[in-house]
Amino acid sequence: MNFVVLNSSKNWGGNERWLTTAVNGLAERGHTINLIIRKNVSHWEKIHPSINLIEAPFTNELSIKTKSIIKELIDSKTDILLSTKRKDYILAAQIKYSNQITHIMRLGISRPILKRDFIQRYVLSHMVDGIIVNAEALKSELLKYDFIHKNIHINKIKCIYNGYVLSSSKKEQNINKVSSFCIRSAGRLTTHKGYDMLLKSLKNLREDFYLEIAGDGPEYSALNSMIKKNNLQKKCKLVGDMKNTIDFFAGADLIVIPSRSEGIPNTLFEAWSVKKPVIATNVGGVSEVVDHKKDGLICEPSVDSIYATISDYIKKQEDYNRLGESGYKKLNDSFSMDRMIDNLENYFDIFID
């Protein structure tokens, strides 16, 4: 198959991590991939050598230059136009209208579609042929909207769980580890990731601990201020971006994913890949993947619930020792990269004549 793929991201995140593994897997199976990315970004160095990387300005949803670049790549051999960000959805919709090409969207996180968001509603109603989500919960949310249910067949909204390649890296990063119990988390520092709830939950934690959060983003200053305001400087630290989250997690005793909204977080699989126990909030598709008290602990996305679950884990570490090992086994058995690529190929096949 021949794909044109759009990604307008300025920063590396879960969406870009998924896209890298997806296009690399498809390229390794002989599919042709043209990946159009934003100019002057540096997070695509791990792309398969056969993939054609093309830069575009992505200045806005109506960018004439970007649309021109996309149109130049689309010909009679192009099978699928795949969009992965909100700006990309709208650009791809315009290309679908003018070129009559199959347009597939990929959604990796739950976000409400507001009544006043007429553009997104129109795109989803008339300019999308199929939608890929990474959790059944996201599919269920989409089907609650009448304008989606009426215009996109239920079989063309497909849940495909993220695949993961187990890393051989086991080098532990012990950054400022000043406690016998190290909690770590990683992700974009945005409101939906819930790091403010995590910090508030630790304010009254009596057990000995040290928290490190890896990542960067718009909430960096606010979170740093919260650490100082609550006198947590000796207990909590923002350590900046980590090129290798696996090594970062390998040096922890516990991984916490405190999100307000998610599909299925990539950091869950990264923690499992180094056999680390995970506490994750019950949002998106987390409960589809994590079996509570068997391969992870699930709590509600609230300060009190996060606090209670972390405290319980620290007190009962011996009872929960198996969680990381069980997560590793599940990751290896059920979320392989080959399975994800098989599912993607089977899904795309239904749109090919």
Side-chain angles (χ1 to χ4, degrees), residues 181 205 207-208 253-254 277 279 292-293 296-297 307-324:
F181 190 83
L205 190 67
E207 290 80 11
D208 185 33
D253 298 297
L254 173 67
I279 293 174
H292 183 55
K293 292 190 176 182
L297 297 177
Y307 163 80
T309 309
I310 293 174
S311 179
D312 181 61
Y313 178 87
I314 295 175
K315 292 173 183 175
K316 301 177 181 177
Q317 289 180 61
E318 291 187 5
D319 296 338
Y320 292 136
N321 275 342
R322 69 187 184 282
L323 296 180

Side-chain angles (χ1 to χ4, degrees), residues 17-35:
R17 188 179 289 110
W18 173 85
L19 182 58
T20 298
T21 56
V23 295
N24 283 352
L26 291 167
E28 286 172 3
R29 295 194 181 184
H31 300 288
T32 300
I33 311 289
N34 291 291
L35 175 56

